[in-house]
Each structure stands twice: as C-alpha cells, then as structure tokens.
Amino acid sequence: MRAVVRTALAGEAEALTRAMDAPAGVYEAHLAAQAGGRCTVLVAEVGGRAVGTGMLRRDPRDAVVRERLGRLPEISNLQVHPDERGRGHGTALVEALCALAAGQGGTRVGLGVADDNPDAARLYLRLGFAETGLAYADHYTWTDTAGVEHHAADDVRYLVRDLGQGSGPPR
C-alpha cells in the first residue's frame, strides 16, 4: 500500500517517537523548528500509522553548503521505519518534499547523503538528484533514549535536484 504524506501536527511528537522508534526529544525538536518557521516536517502514513518522516529546511544546515551552493531548500532527517523500507515510502516522502520546495518557489533542492548509506544515494540519484562534487564531514548532536547527548560526524556528499520553473518535481 502506498503511503499518504501529510504535514506533521503540533503535539504529535510523542506518537512519532513511538512509531519511528526514535530517541526521546528528536520529534519535539523537529516540531519546534517547524513551529518557528525554519522547516516543514512531513509524515508518511499507511493505514493511519506513521511509517516515515522527512524535513524540508528553508536553508541548508551546514555553512559549507551555504558558502558553496548558496541558499536553497534542503531535505533532511529522512527516515523510513526499518520494517517498511523498500515499499516506496521514501520515494513518496522525497517527491512530496520536492513538491513542497517547488510550491514555495524553489527551483532546486539539496540534501546530504552519508557515504555509508549507498542505498539512499541510489534512491536519490534515481529520483533526479545529481552530484555537486561537495563532500564534507557533517557534525551533529543527538540525544539517546537515556537522555545522554552524543556528538557525531558522518562523511557526506551533497546532491541537488533541479525543480524546473516552479512546476514541481520532474518525473
């Protein structure tokens, strides 16, 4: 069954945390950023159950991306529950995020993909993203379910997709 994609609602952080087996605080932070106008969080659902989420940031999170490519909307935090992978939910989220970026006047959208995630890279390239030649270490902080803060870094490469003249994502 194909996922229905919708905008996340204020107050559903706890439900998303449970559905996505996420560390405490992740969706609270995402929804706070959405409430502050910095991003839009989308939820993919099947039969009313969340199976994936993704975020469209107004601008790239990393300074190196902004310096090299300028300001463009950025897809981030794309996640599909492990039990639901390979069923088109990631594609549905990416297409909805691209349509959202185009609807907001974007002509291109970017995303960083970790070097150790070749399956995601193949998906993004198949969906029309292209290599930019930009590679960097993506530093971030996350908090586990015990409330312990962790600092991590992933080697990533940055991909960009042309959205055309605001007509939505190419097919």
Side-chain angles (χ1 to χ4, degrees):
M1 178 182 257
R2 182 90 178 193
V4 173
V5 179
R6 63 168 177 81
T7 302
L9 304 172
E12 73 175 321
E14 187 176 319
L16 290 173
T17 298
R18 278 193 314 275
M20 300 304 298
D21 295 327
V26 169
Y27 287 102
E28 287 87 350
H30 290 184
L31 293 176
Q34 178 172 277
R38 295 183 304 278
C39 70
T40 302
V41 178
L42 297 185
V43 178
E45 291 182 330
V46 173
R49 183 175 66 88
V51 297
T53 59
M55 178 186 297
L56 183 69
R57 297 176 183 274
R58 303 293 174 249
D59 294 301
R61 185 173 59 84
D62 289 286
V64 67
V65 176
R66 291 189 304 272
E67 290 166 8
R68 175 95 175 266
L69 301 173
R71 297 202 175 276
L72 71 156
E74 179 178 79
I75 294 171
S76 71
N77 301 89
L78 189 68
Q79 179 181 1
V80 174
H81 192 280
D83 295 343
E84 292 291 333
R85 292 184 183 148
R87 298 181 181 172
H89 308 321
T91 296
L93 278 164
V94 170
E95 293 296 354
L97 290 160
C98 286
L100 180 61
Q104 294 172 352
T107 59
R108 60 188 183 143
V109 64
L111 58 77
V113 61
D115 289 346
D116 65 356
N117 195 351
D119 292 337
R122 276 192 297 280
L123 171 66
Y124 302 141
L125 293 170
R126 183 174 54 81
L127 294 176
F129 285 83
E131 300 282 354
T132 64
L134 176 59
Y136 58 97
D138 178 22
H139 295 270
Y140 58 96
T141 302
W142 62 280
T143 304
D144 65 23
T145 55
V148 177
E149 188 173 271
H150 301 269
H151 301 280
D154 293 325
D155 291 328
V156 302
R157 62 191 209 252
Y158 207 78
L159 309 177
V160 171
R161 178 170 156 174
D162 179 12
L163 299 175
Q165 299 299 314
S167 61
R171 291 261 168 193

